[in-house]
Amino acid sequence: GMRADKSCPVVLRVRETLEILAFEHPLAGLQLVKGSVEPDESTDLAAVRELIEEAGIQSAVGRNLGEWRAIETGHTWVFHECHVAQDLPDTWVHFAEDDGGHEFRFFWHPLMSEPSERWHQVFKDALSFLRTTLVEV
């Protein structure tokens, strides 16, 4: 298909239900980790890099969870499941350098729960895509 311009690392864990790693951006609400794919970069390497930059965590890339077109922005996203060796805490804060530097507050969102109004629409749509994809897998 079209070259994906956004890569989204998906970190999952199972507690009572399947949960996905998410964060609160101090200015832009609740989000999933995602970022632009560099010109000569593969989307899976971009996913691993974004997770280091935005969350401060090392991971190994797993299965490709599919491509999705964000109608709102016109971007094509690709989702890569990423596996983290250590047990991640329930919440943590990571200082991300992008946009002049922000503290990102990480948490786990139960995938089947309806995202609140604090999520931007594009991420609500992305979660909806992932819910469908991960139920099928």
Side-chain angles (χ1 to χ4, degrees), residues 14-29:
V14 178
R15 289 298 182 262
E16 286 80 34
T17 62
L18 187 63
E19 298 177 339
I20 185 170
L21 185 65
F23 70 95
E24 180 179 8
H25 188 293
L27 308 175

Side-chain angles (χ1 to χ4, degrees), residues 91-105:
T91 61
W92 74 91
V93 172
H94 178 70
F95 185 82
E97 300 288 347
D98 51 350
D99 300 330
H102 291 293
E103 283 199 339
F104 291 167
R105 195 170 295 277

Side-chain angles (χ1 to χ4, degrees), residues 4 18 40 45 56-57 65 68 97 104 108-109 118-119 127:
L18 187 63
D40 292 322
L45 286 179
I57 52 179
L65 297 173
W68 171 72
E97 300 288 347
F104 291 167
W108 297 89
H109 172 72
R118 296 175 62 209
W119 289 82
L127 283 168

